[in-house]
């Protein structure tokens, strides 16, 4: 019964199947219908064929991916047993590009696959993507991360992995965090290797990280050729290397690196994720040669599903890696998309007319999938939490996530931190706080073991003992050779470099904490002229024209130059002012002696002098001053303090308090006299030697010609900052040209003034200081410094060495050698047309002390302070009254005498009345008065 029933079931099945085959073969357009099978629930399911192209010879990717694909199919349909559309995998091996191409054609033409998982590498992708577009079959890659292929350019290409550009910001953050300003790129010379370089270089340069050298390792290079390249790198100064190669290249490269001695202290090596993701499959001896290397790889968050999967994988080979997890999630996404497209007769592969006689790889007769576009559409909209994290395709590829940062130690690796797009460098992604800001601080990382078992982070560069010498560019000056001088030995033809700036640089180079081999080179322009403009010379430090590593000379540090070069700290003080002739004036005013002191100071000194005289008179009054007349008393008050200065004998005062007042007064007078003498001398000298011009505005308003040093930055300063007309500017090269131009004057073919930096003007004034002087305002500059390319790693070390040299006796010896003792420290103050008068406020403290001493002397007397002045006043008042009475009596006697001489009676009566009146007042009688007067 069982058999009969079975045969009844089989007959219609074979009849229907045969009918379908006959219809398919007889139609002009052959339709391959989808297979239908019964699942374990006795329900019909549709089988959708899907191909996979993997390289089984590369276990780190192909081997792991094949096993993950099979496990993903089993796990997915075990979790979704009711799904009606099921994937059927057709896996093909691809050992190279040719094998991969053949496998894809076979899958499309003979297996009728509606999607292909692959290619494994970017080099295999170009043809597969073109073929996928032709037959409308999506090409889905979980490992082709190169930027040379993009879903935006190929609509049927889907990348279920992160592209290589996602790691660029993480690498840049690490380099920034360690303070490295340069690195060398080493990459494989393949389409995959070259795809990342432009993106990586741009990101590094935006963060001011230079890439001075790039080394491409060709597939045809043998170990000897690679070693030669490594020796070239070793003789360079940069010690940070970024390696972007696949595991086959890495297995060859790093043993040679270790053999070349480049895995020693001071070196830093960083791996991109292309090699970091495949370390588990590499030879342990190769891993050992990579000790101290840093690497990054995509971070996948912990989950129960991932832990369960790892336990199942525990005893499997190869080691589980990110490519296996991406392959696993790809199958889940594709299986979900297959279920979403629904059921029906449209699950088919439409074939074109033709026969198969040409062979099973004939491309001309390939059909078009009607399922492929639907799978593609559904897959781009799928979101779920997979083993590798959040699965979400944007613009056809997986979105970037965080990265792990690890350190290779021995034959293993140690996780030291992470990087995320939101938080930057951190120790653990799960420990970051929502309010935490983006950071590139490497202090958050765990302890790192660097190459050579060092725990100190490399500084990123070093001067190789047998490496190339630094090229030091030196300009040629036509004058002021004390600062810089280049001569040629007539016998040997060699150039000799000397001068203040050269000797300072030699001293600084000796003070550096590392060997610094260098050689001087005379700078020349394109025409071979060595008398180049300084700004043009500094441009030769740019990356595009880089002729020199350093420029040494009397290079002034100004803001405009700092835009394209870096300067060390200055090794001289500087500033810009003008040099003008001196005019001599021997005619002085008859009142010039009054100019040292202001009117207020004169009046204050006189007032204090009078007050001092009055106090001394009061203290010394003992009754004998009552006999003095007021005029004599005033003369005594004025004379007392003056005589104390001229005749400072002890007998001039007898009172102790008077002596105290006198001492204070003498001190005040001494200070005033000394200040007066100094101020008067200054006024007389300044009147004799005065600058001919004092202000820039005077030179501009009168249209005078002015000069500047040839080749310097001063021309632009005079035009842009000081607003001189360019036609009024003349350039000069040396001291003699300066003197001749100033001596002629602006009206006679010379100039009225020359603008230059103070060190040059000091050199000029040591020779011609009697006829010329510095005048006008001083415009500040930062002095002379050494110039370097932008972001040069030498700048901080050279600047520290300059500080050590300038603070030592070496700098004094160099200055004395070229400028004489003390010349560089001489006063460079600018002359002024008017010496300021001394003001009373300058001596306010002395006047206050003098006033207090006067009050204390008066308060300390035996009687009250007001008694002596009152007594003196009373005495002089009585004398004044007696004097007035005596004067009045003389007048009356004179009148009486006049009346006695008159003949008339009226006169006699008048005299008599006057006599009576005089008697009435108690005065003497006229007769008696006359007698007394006569006698």
């Amino acid at each position: 019964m069982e058999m009969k029933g079975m045969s009844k079931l089989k007959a219609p099945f074979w009849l229907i199947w045969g009918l379908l085959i006959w219809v398919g073969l007889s139609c002009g357009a052959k339709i391959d219908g989808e297979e239908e099978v019964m699942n374990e629930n006795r329900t019909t399911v549709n089988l959708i064929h899907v191909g996979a192209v993997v390289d089984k010879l590369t276990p780190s990717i192909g081997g792991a991916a094949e096993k993950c694909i099979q496990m993903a199919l089993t796990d997915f349909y075990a979790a979704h047993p009711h799904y009606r559309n099921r994937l059927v995998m057709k896996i093909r091996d691809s050992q190279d590009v040719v094998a991969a191409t053949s496998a894809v054609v076979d899958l499309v033409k003979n297996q009728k696959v509606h999607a292909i998982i692959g290619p494994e590498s970017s080099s295999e992708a170009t043809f597969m993507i073109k073929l996928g577009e032709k037959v409308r079959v999506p090409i889905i890659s979980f490992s082709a991360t190169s930027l040379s292929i993009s879903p935006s350019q190929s609509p049927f290409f889907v990348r279920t992995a992160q592209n290589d550009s996602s790691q660029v910001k993480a690498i840049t953050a690490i380099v920034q965090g360690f303070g490295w300003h340069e690195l060398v790129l080493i990459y494989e010379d393949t389409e995959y290797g070259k795809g990342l370089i432009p993106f990586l270089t741009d990101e590094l340069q935006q963060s001011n990280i230079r890439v001075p050298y790039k080394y491409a390792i060709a597939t045809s290079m043998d170990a000897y050729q690679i070693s030669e390249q490594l020796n070239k790198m070793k003789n360079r100064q940069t010690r940070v290397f970024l390696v972007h190669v696949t595991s086959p290249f890495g297995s060859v490269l790093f043993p040679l690196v270790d053999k070349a001695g480049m895995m020693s202290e001071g070196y830093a090596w960083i791996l991109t994720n292309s090699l970091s993701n495949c370390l588990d499959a590499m030879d342990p001896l190769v891993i050992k040669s990579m000790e101290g290397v840093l690497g990054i790889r995509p971070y996948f968050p912990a989950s129960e599903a991932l832990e369960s999967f790892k336990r199942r994988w525990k005893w499997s080979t190869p080691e589980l890696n990110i490519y296996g997890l991406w392959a696993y999630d790809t199958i889940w996404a594709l299986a979900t998309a297959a279920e979403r497209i629904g059921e029906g007769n449209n699950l088919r592969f439409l074939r074109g007319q033709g026969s198969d006689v040409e062979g099973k790889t004939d491309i001309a007769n390939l059909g078009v999938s009607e399922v492929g576009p639907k799978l593609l559409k559904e897959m781009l909209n799928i979101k779920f939490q997979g083993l590798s994290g959040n699965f979400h395709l944007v613009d056809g590829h997986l979105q970037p996530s965080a990265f792990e940062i690890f350190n290779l130690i021995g034959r293993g690796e140690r996780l030291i931190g992470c990087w995320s797009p939101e938080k930057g460098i951190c120790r653990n992604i799960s420990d970051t706080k929502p309010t935490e800001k983006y950071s590139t601080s490497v202090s958050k990382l765990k302890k790192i073991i660097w190459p050579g078992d060092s725990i100190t982070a490399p500084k990123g560069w070093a001067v190789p003992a047998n490496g190339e010498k630094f090229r030091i560019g030196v300009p040629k000056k036509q004058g002021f050779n004390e600062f810089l001088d280049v001569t040629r030995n007539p016998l040997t033809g060699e150039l000799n470099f000397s001068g203040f700036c050269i000797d300072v640089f030699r001293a600084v180079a000796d003070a550096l904490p590392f060997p610094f081999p260098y050689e001087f080179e005379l700078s020349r322009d394109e025409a071979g002229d060595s008398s180049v403009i300084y700004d043009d010379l500094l441009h030769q430090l740019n990356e595009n024209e880089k002729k020199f590593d350093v420029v040494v000379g009397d290079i002034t540090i100004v803001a405009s130059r700092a835009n394209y070069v870096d300067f060390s700290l200055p090794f001289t003080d500087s500033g810009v002012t003008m040099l003008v002739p001196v005019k001599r004036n021997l005619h002085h005013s008859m009142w010039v002696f009054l100019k040292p002191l202001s009117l207020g100071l004169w009046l204050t000194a006189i007032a204090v002098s009078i007050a001092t005289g009055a106090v001394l008179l009061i203290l010394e009054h003992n009754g004998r001053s009552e006999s003095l007349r007021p005029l004599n008393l005033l003369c005594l008050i004025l004379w007392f303090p003056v005589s104390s200065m001229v005749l400072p004998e002890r007998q001039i005062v007898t009172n102790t308090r008077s002596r105290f007042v006198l001492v204070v007064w003498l001190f005040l007078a001494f200070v005033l006299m000394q200040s007066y003498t100094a101020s008067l001398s200054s006024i007389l000298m300044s009147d004799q030697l005065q600058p001919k011009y004092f202000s820039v505005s005077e030179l501009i308003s009168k249209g005078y010609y002015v000069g500047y040093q040839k080749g310097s930055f001063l021309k632009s300063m005079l035009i842009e900052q000081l607003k001189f007309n360019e036609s009024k500017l003349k350039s000069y090269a040396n001291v003699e040209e300066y003197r001749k131009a100033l001596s002629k004057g602006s009206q006679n073919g010379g100039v009225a003034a020359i603008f230059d930096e103070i060190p040059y003007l000091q050199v000029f004034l040591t020779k011609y200081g009697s006829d010329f002087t510095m005048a006008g305002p001083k415009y500040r500059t930062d002095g002379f410094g050494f110039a370097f390319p932008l972001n040069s790693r030498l700048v901080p070390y050279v600047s520290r060495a300059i500080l050590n040299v300038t603070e030592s006796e070496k700098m004094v010896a160099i200055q004395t050698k070229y400028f004489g003792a003390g010349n560089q420290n001489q006063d460079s103050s600018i002359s002024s047309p008017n010496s300021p008068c001394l003001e009373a406020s300058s001596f306010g403290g002395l006047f206050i002390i003098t006033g207090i001493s006067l009050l204390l002397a008066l308060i300390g007397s035996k009687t009250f302070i007001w008694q002596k002045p009152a007594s003196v006043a009373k005495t002089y008042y009585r004398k004044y009254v007696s004097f007035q009475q005596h004067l009045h009596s003389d007048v009356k006697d004179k009148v009486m005498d006049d009346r006695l001489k008159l003949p008339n009676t009226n006169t006699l009566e008048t005299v008599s009345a006057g006599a009576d009146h005089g008697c009435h007042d108690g005065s003497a009688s006229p007769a008696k008065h006359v007698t007394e007067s006569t006698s």
Side-chain angles (χ1 to χ4, degrees):
M1 294 295 293
E2 229 172 318
M3 294 295 294
K4 291 181 180 178
M6 182 65 70
S7 45
K8 287 181 181 180
L9 290 171
K10 289 182 177 179
F13 174 78
W14 287 109
L15 181 62
I16 294 172
W17 180 246
L19 181 62
L20 289 173
I21 294 175
W22 178 79
V23 171
L25 293 175
S26 61
C27 293
K30 300 178 182 179
I31 300 175
D32 291 294
E34 296 302 315
E35 296 182 9
E36 295 182 354
V37 296
M38 296 289 184
N39 62 9
E40 60 272 14
N41 296 326
R42 310 292 293 174
T43 58
T44 304
V45 296
N46 299 308
L47 301 182
I48 300 178
H49 293 273
V50 175
V53 180
V54 297
D55 185 0
K56 297 181 181 180
L57 294 180
T58 56
S60 60
I61 301 179
E66 182 180 12
K67 187 170 183 178
C68 286
I69 289 172
Q70 295 170 349
M71 294 177 68
L73 283 173
T74 302
D75 294 345
F76 183 84
Y77 290 114
H80 307 90
H82 58 283
Y83 278 13
R84 301 295 299 274
N85 295 336
R86 295 204 173 193
L87 302 181
V88 177
M89 295 303 304
K90 305 292 183 180
I91 299 178
R92 295 291 183 269
D93 190 11
S94 64
Q95 300 179 8
D96 51 32
V97 176
V98 176
T101 303
S102 178
V104 171
V105 174
D106 175 53
L107 289 171
V108 173
K109 184 175 180 62
N110 301 301
Q111 302 299 326
K112 313 301 185 290
V113 295
H114 298 284
I116 296 176
I117 298 175
E120 183 177 308
S121 65
S122 303
S123 59
E124 302 170 358
T126 305
F127 176 78
M128 294 177 66
I129 293 173
K130 294 288 186 183
L131 185 61
E133 292 177 1
K134 177 178 177 61
V135 299
R136 300 175 67 82
V137 170
I139 306 298
I140 306 168
S141 177
F142 57 86
S143 58
T145 59
S146 173
L147 295 168
S148 61
I149 53 176
S150 172
S152 61
Q153 299 173 354
S154 306
F156 276 84
F157 174 63
V158 178
R159 181 186 281 126
T160 56
Q162 300 176 17
N163 62 31
D164 283 339
S165 66
S166 60
Q167 63 185 319
V168 167
K169 291 186 179 297
I171 293 171
T172 303
I174 294 172
V175 177
Q176 279 183 312
F178 285 107
W180 299 325
H181 299 293
E182 287 187 358
L183 60 80
V184 174
L185 277 175
I186 301 176
Y187 61 97
E188 60 180 62
D189 193 13
T190 62
E191 188 175 1
Y192 168 75
K194 292 183 288 188
L196 178 65
I197 303 306
F199 296 88
L200 185 58
T201 304
D202 290 345
E203 183 67 28
L204 291 171
Q205 289 179 347
Q206 289 178 8
S207 301
N208 293 324
I209 300 170
R210 296 177 61 246
V211 184
Y213 310 105
K214 302 172 188 174
Y215 291 95
I217 302 178
T219 56
S220 59
M221 292 178 67
D222 56 20
Y224 177 76
Q225 291 172 319
I226 296 175
S227 296
E228 282 188 331
Q229 292 292 327
L230 291 174
N231 286 328
K232 290 181 181 179
M233 301 179 206
K234 187 177 180 180
N235 290 328
R236 302 284 186 181
Q237 300 167 21
T238 308
R239 290 293 183 262
V240 182
F241 300 91
L242 177 62
V243 180
H244 179 58
V245 298
T246 55
S247 55
F249 280 86
S251 299
V252 175
L253 173 65
F254 279 98
L256 296 176
V257 170
D258 190 23
K259 185 178 180 180
M262 299 175 69
M263 276 294 173
S264 56
E265 185 174 358
Y267 286 88
W269 294 83
I270 305 175
L271 308 179
T272 63
N273 62 9
S274 59
L275 186 57
S276 298
N277 291 331
C278 304
L279 292 176
D280 293 334
M282 295 177 66
D283 191 316
L285 294 177
V286 175
I287 298 297
K288 191 176 187 307
S289 68
M290 300 169 65
E291 185 170 9
V293 170
L294 296 184
I296 64 168
R297 61 188 171 207
Y299 166 83
F300 41 91
S303 63
E304 292 185 6
L306 179 60
E307 293 303 320
S308 175
F309 188 80
K310 286 181 177 180
R311 287 193 294 270
R312 292 162 55 196
W313 189 279
K314 185 174 183 180
W315 305 109
S316 303
T317 54
E319 294 290 338
L320 180 63
N321 55 39
I322 189 63
Y323 295 119
L325 298 180
W326 281 337
Y328 186 96
D329 289 345
T330 300
I331 295 300
W332 275 65
L334 187 58
T336 304
E339 183 64 24
R340 289 183 180 181
I341 65 175
E343 304 177 44
N345 294 327
N346 59 349
L347 303 179
R348 58 190 179 181
F349 199 93
L350 186 65
R351 299 180 61 191
Q353 292 185 351
S355 61
D356 295 337
V357 296
E358 292 88 349
K360 65 179 183 178
T361 59
D362 181 27
I363 299 178
N365 295 316
L366 296 179
V368 176
S369 171
E370 293 186 350
V371 180
K374 298 175 182 179
L375 285 174
L376 177 62
K377 180 180 178 181
E378 294 298 333
M379 191 166 183
L380 293 176
N381 295 320
I382 289 175
K383 297 180 182 179
F384 66 95
Q385 192 67 26
L387 295 184
S388 62
N390 184 30
F391 187 95
H392 178 210
L393 299 176
V394 177
D395 296 331
H397 60 81
L398 200 62
Q399 284 302 283
S401 63
F403 284 86
E404 294 178 342
I405 307 173
F406 64 90
N407 182 208
L408 284 176
I409 302 175
R411 298 188 180 185
E413 57 189 51
R414 176 171 172 261
L415 185 64
I416 59 173
C418 299
W419 175 91
S420 69
E422 298 81 17
K423 305 299 180 183
I425 295 176
C426 56
R427 178 162 292 193
N428 197 322
I429 293 290
S430 59
D431 294 339
T432 56
K433 300 177 181 178
T435 58
E436 194 171 338
K437 296 183 179 180
Y438 186 89
S439 172
T440 59
S441 174
V442 293
S443 62
K444 299 179 180 179
L445 298 176
K446 296 179 183 177
K447 187 177 180 180
I448 301 174
I449 304 299
W450 298 95
D453 294 328
S454 174
I455 60 174
T456 303
K459 63 183 179 182
W461 69 280
V463 179
N466 299 322
E468 298 179 358
K469 293 183 178 181
F470 287 90
R471 301 179 62 189
I472 312 300
V474 179
K476 182 176 178 58
K477 290 186 69 70
Q478 298 178 358
F480 296 101
N481 298 124
E482 295 88 349
F483 294 94
L484 190 64
D485 191 20
V486 181
T487 58
R488 187 178 296 277
N489 189 318
L491 298 178
T492 62
E494 295 182 354
L495 292 175
N496 297 320
F497 297 87
S498 61
F500 172 74
C501 298
I502 296 296
D503 283 10
V504 170
F505 179 79
R506 287 189 172 115
V508 169
D510 293 339
L512 290 173
F514 47 80
F516 188 76
Y518 62 90
E519 58 183 0
F520 293 113
E521 295 184 16
L522 183 62
S523 61
R524 302 177 186 273
D525 59 13
E526 295 180 356
D529 184 9
S530 59
S531 301
V532 295
I533 306 235
Y534 278 28
D535 287 344
D536 296 338
L537 171 60
L538 295 180
H539 279 294
Q540 296 179 9
L541 292 171
N542 289 341
E543 188 68 29
N544 297 332
E545 301 184 24
K546 191 173 181 182
K547 297 181 180 179
F548 305 110
D549 298 302
V550 189
V551 170
V552 170
D554 48 347
I555 312 293
T556 305
I557 302 173
V558 291
S560 59
R561 291 173 174 174
N563 294 326
Y564 50 90
V565 296
D566 276 347
F567 284 103
S568 66
L569 287 178
F571 55 88
T572 64
D573 295 327
S574 189
V576 175
T577 190
M578 62 182 186
L579 180 70
V580 296
V582 168
K583 64 177 182 179
R584 303 180 183 277
N585 182 16
L586 300 178
H587 303 286
H588 302 292
S589 169
M590 61 182 295
W591 301 105
V592 69
F593 68 92
L594 295 176
K595 292 176 66 176
L597 306 184
S598 65
L599 178 61
L601 183 55
W602 278 115
L603 296 177
T604 304
I606 293 172
V608 171
S609 179
I610 293 174
T612 302
V615 170
L616 288 173
L617 182 62
I618 291 172
L619 294 176
E620 291 295 319
H621 174 67
N622 53 4
R624 56 192 171 95
S625 59
E626 295 179 2
S627 59
L628 296 175
R629 291 177 179 270
L631 183 60
N632 294 336
L633 182 64
L634 179 61
C635 293
L636 183 62
I637 291 174
L638 296 176
W639 172 250
F640 221 67
V642 176
S643 63
S644 63
M645 291 186 294
V646 179
L647 303 169
E649 291 92 353
R650 177 180 177 87
Q651 288 75 17
I652 197 169
V653 293
T654 58
N655 193 306
T656 303
R657 289 180 299 278
S658 301
R659 293 169 183 165
F660 169 71
V661 171
L662 191 60
V663 168
V664 175
W665 160 250
L666 288 175
F667 178 73
L668 172 63
F670 177 78
V671 173
L672 287 176
M673 285 190 297
Q674 293 296 322
S675 302
Y676 175 86
T677 303
S679 181
L680 181 61
S681 300
S682 175
I683 290 173
L684 293 176
M685 289 300 298
S686 64
D687 286 344
Q688 290 180 3
L689 299 175
Q690 288 189 6
K692 194 171 183 179
Y693 308 102
F694 290 102
S695 67
V696 175
S697 58
E698 179 184 3
L699 298 174
I700 296 175
S701 62
K702 294 184 178 179
Y704 289 145
Y705 287 93
V706 297
Y708 64 93
Q709 187 178 159
K710 185 176 181 181
S712 71
F713 70 98
L714 289 167
K715 181 179 180 180
S716 60
M717 177 183 174
L718 292 172
I719 296 173
E720 298 172 7
Q721 183 176 341
L722 301 183
K723 307 303 180 184
F724 276 95
N725 191 323
E726 187 174 359
S727 62
K728 297 296 182 181
L729 303 182
K730 296 182 179 181
S731 63
Y732 301 100
N734 53 52
V735 170
E736 288 302 320
E737 290 184 5
Y738 278 22
R739 184 188 63 79
K740 291 179 181 179
L742 289 171
S743 299
K744 289 180 179 179
S746 181
Q747 293 83 2
N748 300 315
V751 293
I754 289 179
F755 287 83
D756 208 343
E757 294 176 86
I758 291 176
Y760 300 112
L761 299 184
Q762 288 176 339
V763 171
F764 177 88
L765 292 177
T766 57
K767 297 181 179 180
Y768 303 108
S770 59
D771 298 321
F772 304 94
T773 186
M774 292 185 284
K778 178 180 177 181
Y779 304 94
R780 185 180 181 277
T781 60
D782 287 332
F784 297 158
F786 304 129
F788 298 84
L790 283 175
N791 302 315
S792 173
R793 56 195 176 275
L794 286 171
V795 172
Y797 296 95
V798 171
S799 295
R800 283 192 286 270
I802 287 175
L803 290 177
N804 293 331
V805 170
T806 54
E807 294 174 1
S808 67
E809 294 297 325
K810 291 183 180 179
M811 195 65 171
V812 177
I814 295 173
Q815 290 176 341
T816 303
K817 176 181 177 182
Y818 291 101
F819 308 112
N823 182 68
Q824 290 299 302
N825 297 322
Q826 71 181 15
D827 183 16
S828 59
S829 59
I830 308 303
S831 303
S832 175
N834 296 314
S835 298
C837 299
L838 298 175
E839 300 290 340
S841 58
S842 302
F843 304 91
L846 281 175
F847 290 135
I848 292 173
I849 293 173
T850 303
I852 293 174
S853 67
L854 296 178
L855 290 176
L856 291 176
L858 291 175
I859 293 172
S861 63
K862 293 181 179 179
T863 55
F864 291 102
I865 187 172
W866 59 82
Q867 288 180 340
K868 283 197 174 184
S871 175
V872 172
K874 185 177 180 180
T875 300
Y876 284 100
Y877 175 75
R878 288 196 301 266
K879 295 176 73 67
Y880 173 76
V881 171
S882 176
F883 175 76
Q884 290 294 328
Q885 290 177 350
H886 180 73
L887 181 64
H888 184 66
S889 298
D890 291 341
V891 171
K892 288 195 293 184
D893 292 341
K894 185 175 184 304
V895 171
M896 184 170 286
D897 291 339
D898 292 337
R899 286 181 177 180
L900 290 175
K901 295 177 182 180
L902 294 176
N904 54 27
T905 308
N906 293 334
T907 304
L908 294 174
E909 290 177 355
T910 302
V911 172
S912 175
D916 292 341
H917 178 73
C919 294
H920 178 74
D921 290 339
S923 302
S925 65
K928 183 178 180 182
H929 182 75
V930 169
T931 304
E932 292 176 357
S933 299
T934 303
S935 61

